[in-house]
Amino acid sequence: MYHQHFLSATGTDLGPLDSGERVLWRGRCAVAEYAFDEASSLPRWTLPEETDVIVTDRRVRYVHLADGTQSSGELFWLWPQHLRVQPGNRESGRNATVTQIQLVCVGPAGTHPALIFAGGDLATVGDADRLANLLRKTIAHFRVENANLIGVPAPQVRMLSRLAIGPEFSNFQGGEGQTVTVLGSVPVPAPELPEPEPEPVHLDDAPVSAPRAYADRPGREADALRAEEAMRAERDSRSAEPDLASRAASLAARVANLVSEAPDGGQTNLSAYLDGDYRSGR
């Protein structure tokens, strides 16, 4: 499950606008992302009414700075499939709802993430209608002008051309709202997810310190496999030839005894003793 599509990592600077990109509207309002495919879903994230919003001929961008922390994001005109104005109701107090502009997109795996604008400079239904009319025309013009790049077929281009002219949004407080479907939308790409942490290596009967077990270095997994194979081979050899392990242990004890008793530390006859002992098979 992806949790957000239209908000960048905290502190990300989106940088300047592209060369030739035109600003069509600038204001402040609350911004949020919802999952329209999930009934009664809570917002995935929200930004307050002080958020700076810029509408250009290519996208909408928003930035909010508070306590030295910047939150920002954007939505390109490739993505919206539906544009809706949802007027607020006539209630007051806790039952009151605010007027919203909703840009609903098609996301990965059949999801429908939506970007919502409300409050601030969109306090009235008339404010929302005017901005929604601008968004409808801008998205339609963008897709007509880039039809070949996006892959919009000719019949849809003609319908988009008519959509750039009308119909106008015209809503009222407490009304049902209006929705326009914008043809030629491109699915929103899935957000990049962080790479999973590497699994720790567990070696049977091998005392490996924590730093070496979790060290992220080239060839770590191959070394671990080779170490495990070597330990298995050692156990197999001891099971297959127990007398060999016994002779090796006995030899080590006899060499240590010889070295401790010899006047010169055992250096004179040590090599000869070892050669003779291994050749005799004792």
Side-chain angles (χ1 to χ4, degrees), residues 58-182:
R58 302 178 188 179
R59 56 189 156 178
V60 56
R61 302 177 67 170
Y62 32 92
V63 178
H64 179 255
L65 185 63
D67 300 326
T69 301
Q70 176 175 286
S71 300
S72 60
E74 59 190 346
L75 182 151
F76 289 89
W77 299 145
L78 291 167
W79 300 333
Q81 185 182 55
H82 305 290
L83 169 62
R84 176 171 176 78
V85 175
Q86 178 61 57
N89 60 22
R90 298 182 183 274
E91 301 291 333
S92 60
R94 298 182 61 181
N95 295 326
T97 59
V98 298
T99 300
Q100 301 178 354
I101 295 177
Q102 305 169 352
L103 290 169
V104 184
C105 308
V106 176
T111 59
H112 286 82
L115 194 64
I116 309 298
F117 301 94
D121 292 335
L122 305 178
T124 69
V125 178
D127 296 332
D129 279 343
R130 283 187 289 274
L131 179 55
N133 285 326
L134 174 63
L135 294 175
R136 173 183 52 78
K137 295 176 183 179
T138 303
I139 296 171
H141 277 305
F142 176 85
R143 292 185 183 172
V144 169
E145 294 173 357
N146 297 278
N148 293 333
L149 294 175
I150 302 174
V152 182
Q156 292 189 6
V157 171
R158 290 192 292 270
M159 297 181 68
L160 286 167
S161 298
R162 291 195 292 269
L163 186 63
I165 301 172
E168 294 282 322
F169 283 98
S170 180
N171 291 280
F172 57 91
Q173 192 75 21
E176 295 182 354
Q178 293 174 290
T179 301
V180 169
T181 297
V182 190

Side-chain angles (χ1 to χ4, degrees), residues 256-281:
N257 184 60
L258 177 64
V259 171
S260 63
E261 294 179 354
D264 57 355
Q267 299 299 321
T268 304
N269 298 319
L270 181 57
S271 59
Y273 178 85
L274 289 174
D275 288 341
D277 194 77
Y278 271 110
R279 288 173 184 174
S280 64

Side-chain angles (χ1 to χ4, degrees), residues 27-45:
R28 290 187 173 186
C29 64
V31 186
E33 180 183 339
Y34 281 80
F36 264 51
D37 52 295
E38 301 175 14
S40 303
S41 64
L42 296 175
R44 291 171 170 171
W45 53 264

Side-chain angles (χ1 to χ4, degrees), residues 195-234:
E195 296 184 0
E197 293 292 330
E199 291 292 333
V201 178
H202 299 287
L203 301 179
D204 295 338
D205 304 326
V208 182
S209 62
R212 292 180 61 85
Y214 288 87
D216 187 11
R217 60 175 178 80
R220 178 175 61 83
E221 294 183 1
D223 289 347
L225 290 175
R226 285 194 293 269
E228 185 175 2
E229 292 173 357
M231 286 186 292
R232 288 177 179 174
E234 174 67 16

